[in-house]
Amino acid sequence: MTDWDDGRPPPADQPPSVGRLIEQISEQATRLVRAEIALAKAEATEKAKRSGIGVGLLAGALVIVLYAVGVLIWSGITGLAEAWPLWLSALVIGVAMLLLAGLLGWIGVKQLKKATSKPETIDRVKDDVATVKEGMKR
């Protein structure tokens, strides 16, 4: 070994050996991978922090919306109570809400059935495989 293998740069007239170059590449690659991992951890932590804040804000907004819907329902009931008795206006609004919930539930079930049904692609692939197998038998 030469005297410059202790970490000092080699003299200008003497290039580093192949072994030293490979060692340097290995060290630099290791440092680069560690730095990338540290950066990825920092980015993931930052994203998790922002996501947590966003979820908290959305939960707060949902609570406010729920109260607002209650207020709107009550205002609809009291508005109809000007023309009808209070019990009848509450009944009408309640039935309308149940009908709306039923419609949304029915549409949701249909969408879930579509999403969970077997994809048509699987049948086409099975047909293709069967055709290829049939063609190979000939």
Side-chain angles (χ1 to χ4, degrees):
M1 291 218 177
T2 61
D3 59 347
W4 51 265
D5 278 342
D6 60 3
R8 292 180 291 159
D13 61 341
Q14 194 175 16
S17 66
V18 172
R20 179 67 180 149
L21 289 173
I22 291 174
E23 182 182 340
Q24 287 175 345
I25 289 172
S26 175
E27 289 173 4
Q28 289 176 358
T30 302
R31 272 189 263 136
L32 178 64
V33 168
R34 286 184 181 154
E36 289 293 334
I37 290 172
L39 180 62
K41 285 181 183 178
E43 287 177 354
T45 301
E46 181 65 25
K47 285 184 180 181
K49 186 178 179 182
R50 288 180 185 233
S51 296
I53 291 170
V55 167
L57 291 172
L58 285 174
L62 180 62
V63 168
I64 292 170
V65 165
L66 288 174
Y67 280 110
V69 167
V71 168
L72 290 174
I73 290 169
W74 180 248
S75 68
I77 291 171
T78 56
L80 282 177
E82 294 295 320
W84 298 336
L86 181 61
W87 68 268
L88 183 59
S89 61
L91 179 68
V92 168
I93 295 291
V95 168
M97 289 174 57
L98 285 176
L99 289 174
L100 178 63
L103 177 67
L104 293 176
W106 179 68
I107 292 171
V109 167
K110 282 180 50 177
Q111 291 295 319
L112 282 174
K113 283 183 180 179
K114 284 182 184 178
T116 58
S117 66
K118 185 172 71 171
E120 296 174 7
T121 307
I122 292 175
D123 292 333
R124 287 194 293 254
V125 169
K126 286 180 181 179
D127 291 342
D128 292 344
V129 168
T131 303
V132 169
K133 283 182 180 179
E134 186 67 32
M136 292 177 75
K137 289 182 182 177
R138 290 183 188 173

mmCIF file of all heavy atoms in Angstrom, residues 32-66:
data_model
loop_
_atom_site.group_PDB
_atom_site.id
_atom_site.type_symbol
_atom_site.label_atom_id
_atom_site.label_comp_id
_atom_site.label_asym_id
_atom_site.label_seq_id
_atom_site.Cartn_x
_atom_site.Cartn_y
_atom_site.Cartn_z
ATOM 1 N N LEU A 32 -24.657 7.340 0.110
ATOM 2 C CA LEU A 32 -25.785 7.816 -0.690
ATOM 3 C C LEU A 32 -27.071 7.082 -0.308
ATOM 4 O O LEU A 32 -28.121 7.711 -0.136
ATOM 5 C CB LEU A 32 -25.489 7.623 -2.181
ATOM 6 C CG LEU A 32 -26.600 8.029 -3.140
ATOM 7 C CD1 LEU A 32 -26.856 9.528 -3.042
ATOM 8 C CD2 LEU A 32 -26.241 7.640 -4.560
ATOM 9 N N VAL A 33 -26.999 5.757 -0.146
ATOM 10 C CA VAL A 33 -28.188 4.987 0.219
ATOM 11 C C VAL A 33 -28.693 5.419 1.589
ATOM 12 O O VAL A 33 -29.895 5.610 1.796
ATOM 13 C CB VAL A 33 -27.884 3.474 0.189
ATOM 14 C CG1 VAL A 33 -28.992 2.672 0.839
ATOM 15 C CG2 VAL A 33 -27.675 3.012 -1.246
ATOM 16 N N ARG A 34 -27.773 5.598 2.539
ATOM 17 C CA ARG A 34 -28.180 6.031 3.879
ATOM 18 C C ARG A 34 -28.812 7.420 3.830
ATOM 19 O O ARG A 34 -29.797 7.682 4.524
ATOM 20 C CB ARG A 34 -26.986 6.026 4.823
ATOM 21 C CG ARG A 34 -26.586 4.626 5.223
ATOM 22 C CD ARG A 34 -25.471 4.637 6.225
ATOM 23 N NE ARG A 34 -25.105 3.269 6.565
ATOM 24 C CZ ARG A 34 -23.929 2.903 6.996
ATOM 25 N NH1 ARG A 34 -22.969 3.799 7.161
ATOM 26 N NH2 ARG A 34 -23.693 1.649 7.281
ATOM 27 N N ALA A 35 -28.250 8.299 3.033
ATOM 28 C CA ALA A 35 -28.812 9.648 2.922
ATOM 29 C C ALA A 35 -30.200 9.598 2.291
ATOM 30 O O ALA A 35 -31.116 10.320 2.718
ATOM 31 C CB ALA A 35 -27.882 10.538 2.102
ATOM 32 N N GLU A 36 -30.379 8.755 1.285
ATOM 33 C CA GLU A 36 -31.688 8.624 0.645
ATOM 34 C C GLU A 36 -32.720 8.057 1.622
ATOM 35 O O GLU A 36 -33.872 8.485 1.647
ATOM 36 C CB GLU A 36 -31.596 7.734 -0.599
ATOM 37 C CG GLU A 36 -30.881 8.356 -1.762
ATOM 38 C CD GLU A 36 -31.639 9.528 -2.351
ATOM 39 O OE1 GLU A 36 -32.875 9.589 -2.233
ATOM 40 O OE2 GLU A 36 -30.975 10.403 -2.941
ATOM 41 N N ILE A 37 -32.309 7.087 2.437
ATOM 42 C CA ILE A 37 -33.225 6.511 3.428
ATOM 43 C C ILE A 37 -33.615 7.567 4.453
ATOM 44 O O ILE A 37 -34.786 7.687 4.826
ATOM 45 C CB ILE A 37 -32.589 5.280 4.099
ATOM 46 C CG1 ILE A 37 -32.510 4.125 3.093
ATOM 47 C CG2 ILE A 37 -33.379 4.855 5.328
ATOM 48 C CD1 ILE A 37 -31.721 2.930 3.579
ATOM 49 N N ALA A 38 -32.638 8.349 4.901
ATOM 50 C CA ALA A 38 -32.937 9.408 5.864
ATOM 51 C C ALA A 38 -33.885 10.436 5.259
ATOM 52 O O ALA A 38 -34.816 10.908 5.925
ATOM 53 C CB ALA A 38 -31.637 10.084 6.316
ATOM 54 N N LEU A 39 -33.677 10.772 3.994
ATOM 55 C CA LEU A 39 -34.559 11.726 3.322
ATOM 56 C C LEU A 39 -35.972 11.159 3.187
ATOM 57 O O LEU A 39 -36.961 11.853 3.410
ATOM 58 C CB LEU A 39 -33.989 12.091 1.949
ATOM 59 C CG LEU A 39 -34.807 13.076 1.123
ATOM 60 C CD1 LEU A 39 -34.915 14.414 1.842
ATOM 61 C CD2 LEU A 39 -34.163 13.258 -0.244
ATOM 62 N N ALA A 40 -36.067 9.885 2.836
ATOM 63 C CA ALA A 40 -37.377 9.248 2.701
ATOM 64 C C ALA A 40 -38.115 9.233 4.044
ATOM 65 O O ALA A 40 -39.321 9.484 4.103
ATOM 66 C CB ALA A 40 -37.227 7.828 2.162
ATOM 67 N N LYS A 41 -37.371 8.954 5.135
ATOM 68 C CA LYS A 41 -37.994 8.980 6.466
ATOM 69 C C LYS A 41 -38.500 10.376 6.800
ATOM 70 O O LYS A 41 -39.599 10.545 7.333
ATOM 71 C CB LYS A 41 -36.988 8.533 7.527
ATOM 72 C CG LYS A 41 -36.731 7.057 7.551
ATOM 73 C CD LYS A 41 -35.725 6.728 8.658
ATOM 74 C CE LYS A 41 -35.361 5.276 8.687
ATOM 75 N NZ LYS A 41 -34.353 4.983 9.730
ATOM 76 N N ALA A 42 -37.688 11.380 6.507
ATOM 77 C CA ALA A 42 -38.094 12.756 6.808
ATOM 78 C C ALA A 42 -39.329 13.146 6.001
ATOM 79 O O ALA A 42 -40.260 13.769 6.520
ATOM 80 C CB ALA A 42 -36.938 13.714 6.521
ATOM 81 N N GLU A 43 -39.357 12.760 4.724
ATOM 82 C CA GLU A 43 -40.515 13.075 3.882
ATOM 83 C C GLU A 43 -41.761 12.350 4.382
ATOM 84 O O GLU A 43 -42.855 12.923 4.419
ATOM 85 C CB GLU A 43 -40.232 12.698 2.430
ATOM 86 C CG GLU A 43 -39.260 13.616 1.738
ATOM 87 C CD GLU A 43 -38.931 13.168 0.318
ATOM 88 O OE1 GLU A 43 -39.374 12.073 -0.104
ATOM 89 O OE2 GLU A 43 -38.217 13.913 -0.368
ATOM 90 N N ALA A 44 -41.612 11.071 4.772
ATOM 91 C CA ALA A 44 -42.759 10.308 5.263
ATOM 92 C C ALA A 44 -43.290 10.913 6.563
ATOM 93 O O ALA A 44 -44.509 11.000 6.764
ATOM 94 C CB ALA A 44 -42.365 8.847 5.479
ATOM 95 N N THR A 45 -42.380 11.354 7.430
ATOM 96 C CA THR A 45 -42.802 11.978 8.680
ATOM 97 C C THR A 45 -43.571 13.260 8.408
ATOM 98 O O THR A 45 -44.616 13.512 9.018
ATOM 99 C CB THR A 45 -41.570 12.272 9.562
ATOM 100 O OG1 THR A 45 -40.888 11.045 9.821
ATOM 101 C CG2 THR A 45 -41.961 12.914 10.873
ATOM 102 N N GLU A 46 -43.074 14.056 7.486
ATOM 103 C CA GLU A 46 -43.736 15.318 7.145
ATOM 104 C C GLU A 46 -45.116 15.064 6.536
ATOM 105 O O GLU A 46 -46.096 15.728 6.882
ATOM 106 C CB GLU A 46 -42.875 16.123 6.178
ATOM 107 C CG GLU A 46 -43.462 17.456 5.770
ATOM 108 C CD GLU A 46 -43.593 18.445 6.911
ATOM 109 O OE1 GLU A 46 -42.849 18.328 7.897
ATOM 110 O OE2 GLU A 46 -44.465 19.326 6.826
ATOM 111 N N LYS A 47 -45.195 14.064 5.646
ATOM 112 C CA LYS A 47 -46.489 13.746 5.032
ATOM 113 C C LYS A 47 -47.474 13.222 6.070
ATOM 114 O O LYS A 47 -48.661 13.555 6.040
ATOM 115 C CB LYS A 47 -46.308 12.732 3.907
ATOM 116 C CG LYS A 47 -45.727 13.327 2.657
ATOM 117 C CD LYS A 47 -45.658 12.315 1.535
ATOM 118 C CE LYS A 47 -45.065 12.950 0.293
ATOM 119 N NZ LYS A 47 -45.003 12.005 -0.820
ATOM 120 N N ALA A 48 -46.995 12.394 6.994
ATOM 121 C CA ALA A 48 -47.878 11.864 8.038
ATOM 122 C C ALA A 48 -48.385 12.992 8.929
ATOM 123 O O ALA A 48 -49.565 13.006 9.320
ATOM 124 C CB ALA A 48 -47.138 10.821 8.872
ATOM 125 N N LYS A 49 -47.516 13.938 9.237
ATOM 126 C CA LYS A 49 -47.909 15.073 10.069
ATOM 127 C C LYS A 49 -48.990 15.898 9.368
ATOM 128 O O LYS A 49 -50.011 16.234 9.954
ATOM 129 C CB LYS A 49 -46.674 15.923 10.330
ATOM 130 C CG LYS A 49 -46.844 17.052 11.280
ATOM 131 C CD LYS A 49 -45.479 17.737 11.447
ATOM 132 C CE LYS A 49 -45.511 18.904 12.349
ATOM 133 N NZ LYS A 49 -44.203 19.566 12.441
ATOM 134 N N ARG A 50 -48.757 16.198 8.094
ATOM 135 C CA ARG A 50 -49.746 16.975 7.336
ATOM 136 C C ARG A 50 -51.049 16.210 7.179
ATOM 137 O O ARG A 50 -52.139 16.782 7.235
ATOM 138 C CB ARG A 50 -49.191 17.363 5.976
ATOM 139 C CG ARG A 50 -48.129 18.424 6.061
ATOM 140 C CD ARG A 50 -47.600 18.768 4.688
ATOM 141 N NE ARG A 50 -46.497 19.691 4.811
ATOM 142 C CZ ARG A 50 -46.424 20.830 4.170
ATOM 143 N NH1 ARG A 50 -47.383 21.186 3.347
ATOM 144 N NH2 ARG A 50 -45.384 21.622 4.328
ATOM 145 N N SER A 51 -50.949 14.894 6.956
ATOM 146 C CA SER A 51 -52.155 14.084 6.813
ATOM 147 C C SER A 51 -52.958 14.085 8.105
ATOM 148 O O SER A 51 -54.191 14.162 8.080
ATOM 149 C CB SER A 51 -51.791 12.643 6.434
ATOM 150 O OG SER A 51 -51.182 12.608 5.173
ATOM 151 N N GLY A 52 -52.264 13.979 9.234
ATOM 152 C CA GLY A 52 -52.953 14.003 10.523
ATOM 153 C C GLY A 52 -53.689 15.308 10.747
ATOM 154 O O GLY A 52 -54.826 15.318 11.215
ATOM 155 N N ILE A 53 -53.034 16.409 10.409
ATOM 156 C CA ILE A 53 -53.687 17.720 10.543
ATOM 157 C C ILE A 53 -54.895 17.796 9.614
ATOM 158 O O ILE A 53 -55.969 18.252 10.007
ATOM 159 C CB ILE A 53 -52.681 18.849 10.250
ATOM 160 C CG1 ILE A 53 -51.623 18.910 11.358
ATOM 161 C CG2 ILE A 53 -53.387 20.194 10.111
ATOM 162 C CD1 ILE A 53 -50.455 19.823 11.046
ATOM 163 N N GLY A 54 -54.741 17.316 8.382
ATOM 164 C CA GLY A 54 -55.851 17.344 7.426
ATOM 165 C C GLY A 54 -57.025 16.507 7.884
ATOM 166 O O GLY A 54 -58.182 16.928 7.777
ATOM 167 N N VAL A 55 -56.739 15.317 8.418
ATOM 168 C CA VAL A 55 -57.819 14.453 8.907
ATOM 169 C C VAL A 55 -58.528 15.115 10.086
ATOM 170 O O VAL A 55 -59.764 15.070 10.194
ATOM 171 C CB VAL A 55 -57.263 13.061 9.297
ATOM 172 C CG1 VAL A 55 -58.277 12.263 10.090
ATOM 173 C CG2 VAL A 55 -56.854 12.292 8.053
ATOM 174 N N GLY A 56 -57.762 15.739 10.968
ATOM 175 C CA GLY A 56 -58.381 16.433 12.104
ATOM 176 C C GLY A 56 -59.288 17.567 11.664
ATOM 177 O O GLY A 56 -60.389 17.739 12.194
ATOM 178 N N LEU A 57 -58.814 18.340 10.684
ATOM 179 C CA LEU A 57 -59.635 19.437 10.174
ATOM 180 C C LEU A 57 -60.898 18.920 9.488
ATOM 181 O O LEU A 57 -61.982 19.501 9.639
ATOM 182 C CB LEU A 57 -58.820 20.308 9.222
ATOM 183 C CG LEU A 57 -57.695 21.126 9.872
ATOM 184 C CD1 LEU A 57 -56.846 21.791 8.805
ATOM 185 C CD2 LEU A 57 -58.263 22.152 10.825
ATOM 186 N N LEU A 58 -60.764 17.832 8.741
ATOM 187 C CA LEU A 58 -61.942 17.251 8.086
ATOM 188 C C LEU A 58 -62.938 16.721 9.115
ATOM 189 O O LEU A 58 -64.153 16.848 8.937
ATOM 190 C CB LEU A 58 -61.526 16.138 7.129
ATOM 191 C CG LEU A 58 -60.909 16.591 5.824
ATOM 192 C CD1 LEU A 58 -60.406 15.393 5.020
ATOM 193 C CD2 LEU A 58 -61.903 17.388 4.999
ATOM 194 N N ALA A 59 -62.454 16.127 10.187
ATOM 195 C CA ALA A 59 -63.350 15.632 11.233
ATOM 196 C C ALA A 59 -64.099 16.800 11.876
ATOM 197 O O ALA A 59 -65.306 16.707 12.143
ATOM 198 C CB ALA A 59 -62.561 14.854 12.281
ATOM 199 N N GLY A 60 -63.389 17.898 12.127
ATOM 200 C CA GLY A 60 -64.049 19.083 12.679
ATOM 201 C C GLY A 60 -65.104 19.629 11.737
ATOM 202 O O GLY A 60 -66.202 20.006 12.164
ATOM 203 N N ALA A 61 -64.781 19.654 10.444
ATOM 204 C CA ALA A 61 -65.741 20.130 9.455
ATOM 205 C C ALA A 61 -66.964 19.215 9.405
ATOM 206 O O ALA A 61 -68.100 19.689 9.279
ATOM 207 C CB ALA A 61 -65.090 20.210 8.078
ATOM 208 N N LEU A 62 -66.748 17.918 9.539
ATOM 209 C CA LEU A 62 -67.866 16.974 9.515
ATOM 210 C C LEU A 62 -68.802 17.196 10.699
ATOM 211 O O LEU A 62 -70.030 17.157 10.544
ATOM 212 C CB LEU A 62 -67.344 15.534 9.519
ATOM 213 C CG LEU A 62 -68.392 14.432 9.492
ATOM 214 C CD1 LEU A 62 -69.219 14.519 8.213
ATOM 215 C CD2 LEU A 62 -67.736 13.079 9.609
ATOM 216 N N VAL A 63 -68.250 17.447 11.849
ATOM 217 C CA VAL A 63 -69.083 17.708 13.028
ATOM 218 C C VAL A 63 -69.938 18.954 12.794
ATOM 219 O O VAL A 63 -71.143 18.965 13.077
ATOM 220 C CB VAL A 63 -68.205 17.862 14.292
ATOM 221 C CG1 VAL A 63 -69.009 18.413 15.461
ATOM 222 C CG2 VAL A 63 -67.575 16.527 14.661
ATOM 223 N N ILE A 64 -69.329 20.005 12.261
ATOM 224 C CA ILE A 64 -70.066 21.243 11.995
ATOM 225 C C ILE A 64 -71.161 21.002 10.961
ATOM 226 O O ILE A 64 -72.286 21.501 11.087
ATOM 227 C CB ILE A 64 -69.098 22.359 11.556
ATOM 228 C CG1 ILE A 64 -68.201 22.748 12.747
ATOM 229 C CG2 ILE A 64 -69.850 23.572 11.036
ATOM 230 C CD1 ILE A 64 -67.060 23.667 12.374
ATOM 231 N N VAL A 65 -70.858 20.217 9.925
ATOM 232 C CA VAL A 65 -71.852 19.917 8.893
ATOM 233 C C VAL A 65 -73.022 19.146 9.493
ATOM 234 O O VAL A 65 -74.182 19.406 9.157
ATOM 235 C CB VAL A 65 -71.207 19.139 7.723
ATOM 236 C CG1 VAL A 65 -72.248 18.496 6.831
ATOM 237 C CG2 VAL A 65 -70.319 20.054 6.905
ATOM 238 N N LEU A 66 -72.725 18.204 10.372
ATOM 239 C CA LEU A 66 -73.815 17.449 10.995
ATOM 240 C C LEU A 66 -74.741 18.365 11.793
ATOM 241 O O LEU A 66 -75.967 18.233 11.727
ATOM 242 C CB LEU A 66 -73.254 16.342 11.882
ATOM 243 C CG LEU A 66 -72.632 15.161 11.140
ATOM 244 C CD1 LEU A 66 -71.992 14.196 12.128
ATOM 245 C CD2 LEU A 66 -73.662 14.449 10.289
#
